[in-house]
């Protein structure tokens, strides 16, 4: 085996069962970019970022993600359509097949780690079949120093072989591609898909098990930032709720944009970079992301304006899931290292296309746990084929597909944190519709939403009067600086109050129905926070 680059002198791929011809260790972004171009696997755009195609898969394949069911996971993982079991012996045979496939090939190896808080550091070794996938790992995971690399040993191994296709008839998979997590061997095995997000979310899933299960640390699918006084804010929200836009604040330092842990006295980023959607990206709308697309960054599945190397960010012909990967320090106001203290404010963002939820409201501990498990937003007509009316979307803990444990485990950890820190405020923010549902009302003004979030973070809502929502029970502030008071109670914005009451009851019913699958493991405090269906209202 020929080996090049910086490595721990004792590091040995043979110990992992790999007998490759050439191993490139911890190469720089510049060299990985150049190697990709030499191999004909990518080109530069006009700002110097590397542009590649991930091939057949331009997104994750959740139905092809498996977890090995063994002594560690059998009684702790929430098995079902999200966590699909696979036998240890099936994994072992497939692992050996992937090693045999890589035998005699050229591979790209990277030592990295997850978790910016040193107490929870998880060392990772990644073996990739392509140099650009290794660049992605450099950008997305935390980067050890050269001195650390010389002594670092991996806690987990990611083995990624996009060119290897499984045989479902003999390998126990659904089709040719697969991602398998083995908590006993501490391996993430990926085959048949070059989509880099499988590696990122594979480690996220590992941390979503290890941190809550072993350390009682709350793992979270959220962004986080910090004010000049050290006050930390968390932003949870599904796609389309404004999470990226609202957490990107030039007056606050970015801790991270996607994955965090909340330990005693610490909110910390799991990652060392960002994996941003870039469909319809513009310098005006999202200048931080736009300016981060430079040498060392990776663009996936984009198209160029014809005859140029200028990216057409409006072109979604390959996929709407076009992505940019880059180190977090490409964001001007990113905090290094990427952690802060306990949060002061937590925002659950929802785009309520029914126009029912208040633009901002304060949650009790029980309500926070209930809405955390619910993870609600709504799709509007036109976003997907066949969607003609607003449709509810519920994703437990704002990231159900990444949770190995039952969602109530994460909600109970959140509740415990809120008990320990009673000064933490939890807010439900509706960035969706006001004055009626989609088609009748209008989208909440971003200017007003920003003003409400700023007021909450500045403590301006600590001493204002509140009134409870008649159906959802959340507390609505009666005054917010810079925001018209008439929009703070959504019922007041509807011309037809009876229509509002009817629609509010319908939405409450959808919440209750969604929660049925979690109710048997939810405590009384969570259950009591459910919205009230068929509430009588008097003017």
């Amino acid at each position: 085996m020929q080996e090049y680059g910086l490595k721990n002198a004792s590091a040995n791929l043979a110990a992992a069962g790999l007998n490759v011809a050439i191993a490139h260790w911890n190469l720089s972004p510049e060299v990985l970019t150049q190697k990709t171009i030499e191999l004909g696997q990518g080109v530069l755009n006009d700002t110097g970022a590397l542009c590649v195609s991930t091939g057949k898969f331009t997104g994750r394949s959740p139905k092809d993600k498996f977890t090995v069911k063994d002594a560690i996971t059998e009684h702790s993982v929430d098995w079902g359509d999200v966590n699909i079991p696979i036998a240890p012996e099936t994994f072992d045979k497939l692992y050996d097949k992937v090693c045999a496939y890589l035998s005699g090939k050229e591979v790209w190896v990277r030592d990295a780690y997850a978790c910016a808080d040193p107490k929870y550091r998880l060392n990772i070794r990644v073996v990739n079949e392509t140099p650009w996938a290794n660049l992605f790992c450099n950008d997305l995971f935390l980067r050890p120093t050269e001195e650390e690399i010389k002594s670092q040993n991996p806690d987990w191994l990611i083995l990624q072989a996009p060119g290897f296709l499984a045989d479902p008839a003999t390998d126990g998979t659904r089709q040719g591609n697969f991602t398998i997590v083995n908590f006993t061997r501490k391996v993430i095995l990926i085959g048949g898909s070059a989509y880099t997000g499988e590696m990122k979310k594979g480690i996220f899933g590992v941390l979503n098990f290890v941190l809550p299960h072993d350390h009682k640390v709350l793992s979270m699918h959220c962004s986080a930032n910090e004010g000049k006084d050290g006050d930390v804010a968390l932003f949870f929200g599904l796609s389309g709720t404004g999470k990226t836009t609202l957490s990107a604040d030039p007056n606050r330092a970015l801790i991270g944009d996607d994955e965090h842990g909340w330990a005693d006295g610490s909110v910390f980023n799991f990652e060392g970079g960002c994996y941003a959607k870039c469909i319809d990206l513009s310098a005006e709308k999202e200048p931080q992301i736009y300016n981060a697309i430079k040498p060392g960054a990776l663009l996936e599945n984009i198209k160029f304006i014809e005859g140029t190397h200028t990216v057409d960010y409006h072109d979604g012909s390959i996929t709407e899931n076009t992505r940019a990967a880059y180190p977090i320090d490409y964001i001007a106001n990113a905090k290094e290292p990427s952690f802060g203290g306990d949060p002061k404010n937590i925002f659950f963002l929802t785009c309520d296309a029914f126009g029912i939820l208040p633009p901002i409201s304060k949650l009790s501990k029980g309500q926070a746990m209930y809405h955390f498990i619910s993870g609600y937003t709504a799709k509007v007509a036109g976003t997907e084929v066949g969607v003609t009316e607003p449709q509810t979307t519920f994703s437990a803990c704002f990231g159900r597909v990444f949770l190995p444990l039952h969602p109530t485990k994460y909600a109970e950890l959140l509740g415990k944190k809120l008990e320990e820190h009673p000064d933490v405020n939890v807010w439900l923010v509706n960035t969706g519709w006001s004055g009626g549902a989609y088609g009748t009302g209008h989208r909440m003004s971003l200017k007003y939403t920003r003003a409400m979030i700023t007021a909450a973070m500045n403590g301006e809502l600590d001493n204002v009067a509140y009134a409870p929502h008649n159906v959802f029970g959340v507390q609505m502030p009666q005054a917010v600086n810079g925001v018209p008071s008439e929009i703070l109670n959504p019922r007041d914005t509807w011309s037809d109050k009876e229509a509002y009451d009817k629609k509010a009851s319908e939405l409450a019913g959808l919440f209750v129905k969604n929660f049925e699958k979690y109710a048997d493991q939810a405590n009384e405090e969570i259950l009591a926070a459910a919205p009230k269906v068929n509430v009588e209202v008097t003017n």
Side-chain angles (χ1 to χ4, degrees):
M1 182 194 306
Q2 298 178 55
E3 296 184 298
Y4 303 96
L6 179 70
K7 65 186 280 285
N8 182 335
S10 65
N12 183 359
L13 291 184
L18 289 164
N19 180 27
V20 300
I22 303 172
H24 300 277
W25 290 79
N26 299 301
L27 299 188
S28 69
E30 294 81 9
V31 174
L32 290 169
T33 298
Q34 187 58 40
K35 291 285 188 182
T36 301
I37 293 168
E38 288 173 5
L39 291 168
Q41 296 174 358
V43 297
L44 297 181
N45 80 329
D46 59 1
T47 65
L50 180 63
C51 304
V52 300
S53 166
T54 63
K56 177 181 177 183
F57 292 95
T58 58
R60 290 178 304 99
S61 186
K63 291 181 180 179
D64 299 298
K65 182 177 180 292
F66 304 89
T67 302
V68 174
K69 190 172 187 177
D70 57 19
I72 291 177
T73 58
E74 182 177 4
H75 300 296
S76 51
V77 165
D78 182 31
W79 301 107
D81 59 349
V82 168
N83 298 298
I84 305 166
I86 199 165
E89 54 271 23
T90 303
F91 173 88
D92 293 343
K93 290 176 184 175
L94 199 49
Y95 183 92
D96 290 344
K97 281 189 174 183
V98 172
C99 289
Y101 164 80
L102 291 172
S103 180
K105 287 188 167 59
E106 186 175 25
V107 298
W108 314 82
V109 190
R110 179 150 305 276
D111 290 302
Y113 67 99
C115 299
D117 187 329
K119 282 184 283 193
Y120 304 102
R121 176 167 173 158
L122 188 87
N123 289 335
I124 303 163
R125 178 164 293 154
V126 192
V127 180
N128 300 112
E129 195 177 353
T130 62
W132 56 268
N134 204 245
L135 174 65
F136 173 88
C137 295
N138 173 80
D139 288 352
L140 261 293
F141 297 131
L142 286 152
R143 294 162 288 280
T145 64
E146 287 191 7
E147 285 306 307
E148 286 175 327
I149 287 173
K150 291 175 184 176
S151 61
Q152 178 169 311
N153 291 307
D155 299 308
W156 275 77
L157 171 69
I158 300 175
L159 186 55
Q160 186 223 24
F164 174 86
L165 292 174
D167 176 4
T170 59
D171 293 329
T173 59
R174 188 179 72 98
Q175 51 185 24
N177 65 299
F178 56 87
T179 297
I180 309 177
V181 181
N182 188 322
F183 283 94
T184 296
R185 290 185 60 172
K186 296 186 176 179
V187 172
I188 299 173
L189 184 65
I190 300 171
S193 171
Y195 181 66
T196 54
E198 296 284 10
M199 294 183 287
K200 166 187 160 69
K201 291 305 185 186
I203 288 295
F204 186 41
V206 166
L207 293 170
N208 279 331
F209 181 91
V210 171
L211 291 176
H213 188 264
D214 298 347
H215 303 289
K216 304 304 178 194
V217 170
L218 177 59
S219 54
M220 306 176 293
H221 191 209
C222 70
S223 57
N225 63 26
E226 182 182 84
K228 291 181 174 63
D229 296 327
D231 61 298
V232 172
L234 305 179
F235 296 82
F236 293 82
L238 302 175
S239 180
T241 59
K243 177 168 70 87
T244 301
T245 302
L246 292 167
S247 63
D249 186 332
N251 298 311
R252 297 175 65 84
L254 180 70
I255 295 174
D257 77 330
D258 196 41
E259 304 171 3
H260 294 83
W262 183 4
D264 292 334
S266 168
V267 165
F268 58 94
N269 194 350
F270 290 168
E271 302 182 297
C274 304
Y275 193 39
K277 286 184 179 177
C278 52
I279 192 74
D280 293 326
L281 179 66
S282 70
E284 295 72 35
K285 286 196 299 184
E286 293 175 296
Q288 289 182 314
I289 297 173
Y290 190 87
N291 293 328
I293 299 172
K294 58 186 181 181
L298 182 72
L299 279 169
E300 295 179 344
N301 303 314
I302 52 83
K303 298 278 278 191
F304 293 130
I305 295 171
E306 191 173 352
T308 76
H309 278 181
T310 300
V311 178
D312 184 352
Y313 289 111
H314 304 295
D315 190 331
S317 58
I318 297 175
T319 177
E320 291 286 311
N321 190 37
T322 54
R323 292 275 182 169
Y326 48 87
I328 195 168
D329 57 17
Y330 279 24
I331 301 294
N333 62 333
K335 187 180 183 194
E336 293 277 359
S338 302
F339 62 86
D342 294 306
K344 183 178 178 183
N345 291 283
I346 299 173
F347 298 96
F348 295 159
L349 305 175
T350 181
C351 176
D352 177 25
F354 297 93
I356 299 303
L357 295 176
I360 190 167
S361 54
K362 199 171 187 179
L363 307 184
S364 67
K365 178 162 72 76
Q367 289 169 341
M369 295 160 77
Y370 184 90
H371 283 275
F372 185 55
I373 292 177
S374 296
Y376 163 72
T377 193
K379 295 174 184 173
V380 298
T383 57
E384 290 185 10
V385 175
V387 178
T388 56
E389 295 287 328
Q391 290 187 358
T392 55
T393 298
F394 295 97
S395 182
C397 309
F398 301 93
R400 176 71 184 98
V401 294
F402 311 123
L403 305 182
L405 307 177
H406 192 278
T408 55
K409 301 294 184 186
Y410 304 92
E412 287 165 4
L413 264 178
L414 174 64
K416 186 171 183 292
K417 289 290 183 189
L418 296 176
E419 272 179 16
E420 293 168 351
H421 304 280
D423 55 334
V424 176
N425 298 310
V426 185
W427 309 91
L428 182 65
V429 175
N430 176 19
T431 63
W433 268 253
S434 178
Y438 174 83
T440 303
H442 57 272
R443 186 85 188 252
M444 182 62 58
S445 159
L446 178 59
K447 179 178 126 181
Y448 291 153
T449 300
R450 284 194 186 280
M452 289 181 276
I453 286 175
T454 299
M457 291 194 294
N458 289 346
E460 295 170 24
L461 303 186
D462 290 351
N463 299 306
V464 301
Y466 285 83
H469 189 273
N470 61 298
V471 173
F472 282 82
V474 296
Q475 295 293 319
M476 303 177 292
Q478 300 300 283
V480 179
N481 282 339
V483 179
S485 58
E486 58 268 22
I487 73 168
L488 296 174
N489 184 334
R491 190 172 187 265
D492 293 343
T493 68
W494 283 51
S495 57
D496 187 337
K497 304 295 190 280
E498 286 187 10
Y500 175 86
D501 296 336
K502 181 182 177 185
K503 187 61 72 174
S505 186
E506 285 178 15
L507 183 59
L510 293 171
F511 266 80
V512 170
K513 181 172 178 55
N514 169 71
F515 206 86
E516 288 173 358
K517 55 183 170 286
Y518 308 121
D520 62 333
Q521 294 195 44
N523 62 36
E524 286 302 317
E525 186 177 20
I526 297 174
L527 294 172
K532 310 298 184 247
V533 183
N534 297 323
V535 172
E536 291 293 328
V537 179
T538 54
N539 289 316

